[in-house]
Structures are given as structure tokens and as C-alpha cells.
Amino acid sequence: MISEREKTKRKVIVFAVLAAILIVISLIAPLIIPNDPFETNAALMNKGPSEQFPLGTDRYGRCILSRVLMGAKTSIFSSFTVVAVTFVIGLILGLLCGYYGGVLDGILMRFADLMLSFPQMVIAIAVAGIMGGNLVNAMIAMGITAWPAHARLARSTVMKVKEEPYIAAAKLAGCTDFCIMYKYILPNVFGPLLINATTQIGTMMIGIAGLSFLGIGVIPPTPEWGSMINEARAYLSLSPWAVFVPGAAIVITVMVFNYFGDSLRDYIDVNGDSNG
Amino acid sequence: MDKEYILSVSNVSRTFKLIDGEFQALKNINLHLSEGEMLAIIGESGSGKSTILKQIACLDTPNEGTVILKGKNVTGKKPADVCHSMQMVFQDARGSFNPRMTFLGTIRESLKHAGIKDKDAQIKKAEELVEMVGLNKDVLKRYPANLSGGQCQRMAIARALAAEPEIILCDEATSALDVSAQAQIIRLLKDLNESLGLSVIFVSHDIALVDGMCDRVMVMKSGQIVEEGPIHEVLSDPKNEYTKQLISSILSIKDEPITFAS
């Protein structure tokens, strides 16, 4: 009989491997693509899967498999970057607010509440719309709306940890505030916060793909899954593969990263330890 | 007058704001500690014993009153300002250590702030300290989760000694331990008091535990000191009704015949 701990451990390993495979594919995409993802051919428009084009072509005759593989790099790394940057910003702000409290905490957290009170996608569309449509602006737009959730969680976790007796003991050992935050609080809050961040990768991917789908994200012809769906949606009846393939890529990637984050959280819950 | 004592607490009051009003945890507390003295503070849960220790250790600031340490007013100062003179041993010994840090890391941190900057000297001193509290130096490589409650409490005392303090504050330092470990910790504290001349404030709710260990006792109830004096005098001839109740409750438990349900 497999224990609950072992089951969750296996889940973590399976989804970690799948996530790693996706990351590796996105990294080596330029080496494994069967065709040039930018090469157009009027004679090959909206063609179905064939030996030369395993997943068919789009309305410009471009290889969909090559574009999906190249799009993986854009989608996965833009999501990773936004989550990583917002996680670090949220962590630092949450750490400072949770530890010191007072006026700084009041101002920053009310601002975070304000940001959280708006639907994330609405603000992102407004920001991307004002700044103009390209990948960097789409990432900034998503980042502006993503940091408050990280900061809020970091703050509440820090507020709990700072009441632990070992923090009082560290103060009496003569540690400075920076030393306490860096050596005593951060190692004890980092694990759960990082796990929460991994569950945000999928959400971020959908957000960036959503902005690209609306035409205010990645500018064509740069391959990106959201913009690929947007480009192909008018020809859905003629070449459904041009919509389904990038759509399936988004679904699979988001599922893998979400399940990875969830299984990691379950594993830690089962073990009753914030860092496994 | 304050200079005669290593520690003087004068007219200290502490009030906490609650959602539905205020709670006065300490009411006009006066306390004096001489060099090398062992003072016990006893009382029921919620009587303010731990709160007074927090005021003394500068982990909290009183609303009124002053804390004088070695002739200097330390009221409202940071714990780092008093850590060279006093250290605290907490009730939750394991919880008072960073779970992500080995004992060596924690003790080295204390030694660094005590002025020992060289790594080798820190390790040597840490080994001396753990041996002083009766533990093997191998435990230094371990994490808090890997030691028993009694061993963790010894490590907590070793950490406290790293700062070479003159006063050790023990906040229910033995209440989470079994009887055997309690006796060992009490003996250790008594030995350190005699060999190093440490002053100790020992907070406990167990009046029997402090008997024979401390020189003087203060009895607290509802944030106030209701009785104070040499321990044998207070135990043999309590003046206050609450102290009498505390003492009689121990005696009644001891006298109660043990019966088993059939």
C-alpha cells in the first residue's frame, strides 16, 4: 500500500519531469524545428498535416509545428520572467511590510488592495493599450497587476513567522533587522511563497496569451500561442488545426505547471513542513 | 539606590489594546535583582509573569515605569542594547531556534554579536559551551528537530551563555519538559549560578519547582505582585490569601490518594 506521502511525492516527480521537458523543448526549439517558422508560401496556405508539415500550415503557409515550438520559448519564458520579477518584488515588499508594519505597511498594502480590487485582465488590457502592443509591454502590464498577490501573501506569512520565539531569541542574540529578515525569516517563508509562485506561471501564461490574442501583446510574425490563435481564428473552418494546436499547447503547458505547483503544495501539506 | 542592584524595575505598567477595550497585563510592578541572586516569579497563567520578562529584556516597551540595568535606564531600548548583559531562555526551547539553522549556526550568531569574529574561535567556544551544559559537541551539527526537548533547552542555555550575560531570564524554561529533564535543567541553572555568579529570574507556575532553587520569590496575580520575600519564608508562612491557595493546592495534590476507576 502506497502512503499518501509517497503518492504526492510521485506526483511532484511526474509533473516536475513534464515541466522540465517543456522548458527543455522551449530552449532547444530553434534546433528541433522541422521548418522555418517565418517562411511564407502562398501555395501551401491552410494545408492539413503532411509529412513536411506534421501539424499543417497557417493562412500564410507557415509550418504550425515550427511556430508552436518557437512560441513555447516566448510563452514559457515571458511567463517565467514576469512571475520571477513580481515574486521578488512582492517578496521584498511583503517582507518589509510584514516585519516593520506601521505607515509603510499601511500605504503599500492599501495600494495593493486597490490593485487587487480591479479585475487583473482589465488593468492589464488598459496598461497594454496605453503603452502599446508588444511582448515587453504585455509583460509589464501583467507584472503591474501580479505583484500585489505575492506581496499580500508574503506579508501575512512574515507576520506569522515574526511572532515565533526564535525571532525574539535572534533579537536578544544581537541580530540586526536585516540579519533577522535575511537569515531567520526569509528561509522560513521562502518555500511556501515559491510554491505559490509556481502556481501563478499557468495563470500568467494565459494572461500573456490573452493579451496577444487581443492584439495588444506579441506582435506578429513573432510566434506566440495567443497571437497564433488570433491570426487563425478567422479561418477556423478552413484550417482548424491552426487554432487547435496552439490552443492545445496552452492547455497542456498551463495544466502541467498548475499541477506541478498543486502537487508540490500537497506534498508539503502532507509532510507538515513548509520546506518539505 | 538602583546602583545596589544589577536590575531594578520601577512602577512598570503595561496595557494592551483589545478590540473591545483594554487589558492591563502589568500594574505598577516593582522588582529588584541583586548580583548572583536567583529570583523566582510564580503565578497562574495570565498573571503577567512572561510580560514582565519581556519588558526587562526590551522585547516590549512598558506604558509606564522604568527598567534600570546596571545603573542605566534601558526602558524602550532594543534587545540588542541589553543582550550583552542579559539573555533569555524560552519555554518553547525547540521553537526558540531557527528550524533552518544548525545549533552551531545559531550559537555562532550569538558569539559573533558578543565580539568573537573569528570562525575557528567561534567553533571552539561553541564546543566549550555545549560541553558546559552537559551535551556532546556533535549536537552542534544538528537541527532543532533532531534533539529532544531537554537537549534543546540545554542548547538554549548554551546560547544564552554565549553572550556572557550577567542575568539569565528563564520564562517557564522547564514547564514543557518531563520531570527528569526538569531536574537536570534546574541543577544546571543552579550550578551556573554558583560557578559563574549569574543572576537568574526564573518564571514558573510551579511553586514546588522553585523551592530549594531560588533565594527569593515573588507571587503574581492579575498583573500585580501580591507577595514577595525569601522563598522559605513565603512558603512556610504565606501572608497573602492567593499565595496560601497556591501552596495548599500543591499540598492537596500531593495528599490526594490515587484512585483507579474499576
Side-chain angles (χ1 to χ4, degrees):
Chain A
M1 182 101 178
I2 305 167
S3 67
E4 194 63 28
R5 183 184 172 173
E6 193 57 34
K7 270 187 200 170
T8 49
K9 190 180 174 183
R10 285 183 186 182
K11 270 189 199 172
V12 173
I13 293 168
V14 167
F15 288 112
V17 168
L18 289 174
I21 289 171
L22 287 171
I23 293 167
V24 169
I25 287 173
S26 69
L27 283 171
I28 61 166
L31 304 173
I32 58 170
I33 46 172
N35 298 292
D36 182 350
F38 298 99
E39 190 185 336
T40 58
N41 190 332
L44 295 169
M45 288 192 307
N46 297 322
K47 292 285 179 198
S50 62
E51 202 174 320
Q52 192 189 351
F53 302 104
L55 295 175
T57 62
D58 64 7
R59 64 170 168 152
Y60 296 110
R62 295 174 297 196
C63 174
I64 288 174
L65 176 61
S66 302
R67 288 184 66 74
V68 164
L69 287 172
M70 288 301 282
K73 194 175 179 181
T74 317
S75 296
I76 292 175
F77 279 90
S78 58
S79 309
F80 261 85
T81 308
V82 177
V83 170
V85 171
T86 55
F87 171 68
V88 171
I89 292 170
L91 181 64
I92 292 169
L93 292 178
L95 195 56
L96 293 171
C97 291
Y99 186 74
Y100 288 111
V103 180
L104 175 84
D105 179 39
I107 294 169
L108 280 170
M109 285 305 119
R110 292 302 77 75
F111 183 63
D113 287 342
L114 188 74
M115 297 295 287
L116 287 170
S117 65
F118 288 103
Q120 193 180 22
M121 208 55 191
V122 173
I123 297 188
I125 290 168
V127 172
I130 292 164
M131 294 172 73
N134 63 48
L135 180 61
V136 174
N137 288 351
M139 287 166 69
I140 292 170
M142 291 305 293
I144 285 172
T145 57
W147 70 269
H150 293 293
R152 268 250 167 247
L153 185 66
R155 174 184 175 266
S156 60
T157 316
V158 168
M159 284 176 84
K160 188 178 159 218
V161 169
K162 80 167 184 178
E163 297 303 324
E164 294 287 341
Y166 60 83
I167 302 299
K171 286 178 182 173
L172 267 172
C175 292
T176 59
D177 288 348
F178 177 77
C179 169
I180 290 170
M181 282 191 269
Y182 182 66
K183 288 186 180 174
Y184 290 80
I185 295 179
L186 198 57
N188 288 290
V189 300
F190 192 77
L193 296 178
L194 186 68
I195 288 157
N196 178 64
T198 59
T199 62
Q200 299 295 311
I201 295 170
T203 315
M204 195 55 65
M205 208 171 279
I206 291 175
I208 291 173
L211 289 179
S212 298
F213 176 79
L214 294 171
I216 46 178
V218 174
I219 302 167
T222 307
E224 198 275 341
W225 296 338
S227 66
M228 283 175 73
I229 296 172
N230 183 33
E231 280 181 311
R233 70 191 160 92
Y235 303 89
L236 184 62
S237 55
L238 276 175
S239 52
W241 48 84
V243 172
F244 292 148
V245 173
I250 293 174
V251 170
I252 292 167
T253 312
V254 169
M255 274 175 66
V256 166
F257 281 105
N258 278 355
Y259 277 123
F260 173 59
D262 287 348
S263 58
L264 204 57
R265 190 175 47 204
D266 290 346
Y267 178 69
I268 279 147
D269 286 347
V270 167
N271 285 286
D273 183 343
S274 60
N275 280 271
Chain B
M1 185 183 171
D2 284 342
K3 284 182 183 173
E4 293 173 21
Y5 299 105
I6 192 166
L7 177 77
S8 290
V9 173
S10 307
N11 305 314
V12 162
S13 295
R14 181 72 173 103
T15 304
F16 294 102
K17 284 182 183 170
L18 305 174
I19 297 166
D20 54 349
E22 289 185 334
F23 171 68
Q24 193 165 14
L26 297 174
K27 295 168 192 167
N28 208 28
I29 298 288
N30 287 289
L31 175 159
H32 304 288
L33 183 73
S34 303
E35 226 174 295
E37 185 184 20
M38 289 190 87
L39 170 69
I41 301 177
I42 59 164
E44 61 194 6
S45 296
S47 60
K49 310 183 295 290
S50 297
T51 311
I52 187 66
L53 285 196
K54 283 183 181 170
Q55 315 304 311
I56 293 169
C58 296
L59 289 168
D60 192 19
T61 307
N63 300 101
E64 287 171 39
T66 53
V67 178
I68 309 288
L69 175 67
K70 297 198 290 183
K72 286 182 185 168
N73 187 350
V74 294
T75 321
K77 297 269 185 190
K78 287 186 174 179
D81 298 324
V82 298
C83 69
H84 301 297
S85 300
M86 71 168 80
Q87 283 293 312
M88 195 159 165
V89 178
F90 296 83
Q91 178 180 7
D92 180 6
R94 187 173 285 116
S96 71
F97 285 95
N98 184 350
R100 308 276 164 225
M101 210 181 253
T102 61
F103 287 109
L104 179 62
T106 304
I107 292 183
R108 277 186 61 201
E109 199 71 52
S110 293
L111 290 168
K112 189 171 85 182
H113 295 291
I116 303 174
K117 306 289 180 193
D118 179 62
K119 188 184 171 184
D120 292 336
Q122 286 173 353
I123 294 169
K124 193 166 173 268
K125 182 72 180 173
E127 287 172 354
E128 283 172 21
L129 287 167
V130 292
E131 280 169 6
M132 193 188 282
V133 296
L135 290 173
N136 191 300
K137 63 183 179 184
D138 291 343
V139 298
L140 283 167
K141 294 173 194 161
R142 297 198 197 168
Y143 287 87
N146 304 129
L147 289 194
S148 70
Q151 286 174 314
C152 281
Q153 202 57 284
R154 283 171 183 267
M155 287 304 299
I157 294 169
R159 171 181 56 192
L161 295 174
E164 296 186 358
E166 286 133 303
I167 303 168
I168 288 194
L169 310 172
C170 298
D171 185 7
E172 307 241 18
T174 57
S175 62
L177 305 178
D178 60 62
V179 180
S180 153
Q182 275 185 0
Q184 288 173 12
I185 296 297
I186 297 285
R187 203 171 300 126
L188 174 64
L189 284 168
K190 190 75 186 159
D191 288 348
L192 292 170
N193 164 256
E194 285 165 4
S195 59
L196 303 175
L198 282 173
S199 304
V200 178
I201 298 182
F202 193 88
V203 159
S204 178
H205 58 263
D206 189 348
I207 200 163
L209 195 72
V210 297
D211 183 22
M213 173 197 176
C214 296
D215 308 307
R216 211 151 52 85
V217 66
M218 287 169 61
V219 183
M220 283 188 78
K221 189 188 181 221
S222 307
Q224 287 177 304
I225 295 167
V226 292
E227 188 160 0
E228 180 182 359
I231 192 145
H232 298 300
E233 210 173 278
V234 172
L235 287 179
S236 59
D237 183 24
K239 302 281 187 293
N240 184 273
E241 200 54 41
Y242 175 68
T243 315
K244 286 177 188 171
Q245 279 175 21
L246 271 181
I247 295 166
S248 63
S249 65
I250 303 163
L251 295 174
S252 63
I253 291 169
K254 280 182 179 171
D255 296 342
E256 196 79 35
I258 300 168
T259 53
F260 297 96
S262 56

